[in-house]
Amino acid sequence: MCAHNPPCPTAMAPDREAARPVAHRPEQGWSLLCNGVFVFEDTGELLPDGRIVAPHRPLALTVGSAA
């Protein structure tokens, strides 16, 4: 599916989000990558085979402690 050189990561690769966007709809909160993955602004993903990857936002770091 990808015609870039070097090719973008496949939809099943752990670094699939590094593929180049081919469509971007910020007003709707999604982008389509050249490997067929839909990436949503909440960090969720829809893979080409229909599987869903739950949002995976990093946890907020806290400074100090509650005393």
Side-chain angles (χ1 to χ4, degrees):
M1 188 174 205
C2 177
H4 299 114
N5 192 8
C8 292
T10 68
M12 297 304 139
D15 59 345
R16 64 181 155 257
E17 295 175 13
R20 294 186 189 181
V22 294
H24 182 64
R25 298 290 183 262
E27 69 279 3
Q28 296 177 353
W30 60 266
S31 294
L32 173 63
L33 305 180
C34 71
N35 57 8
V37 174
F38 279 93
V39 179
F40 299 94
E41 67 183 15
D42 71 351
T43 69
E45 300 172 11
L46 179 61
L47 302 181
D49 64 3
R51 287 188 291 152
I52 296 169
V53 177
H56 47 279
R57 294 181 184 146
L59 296 174
L61 297 176
T62 59
V63 178
S65 62

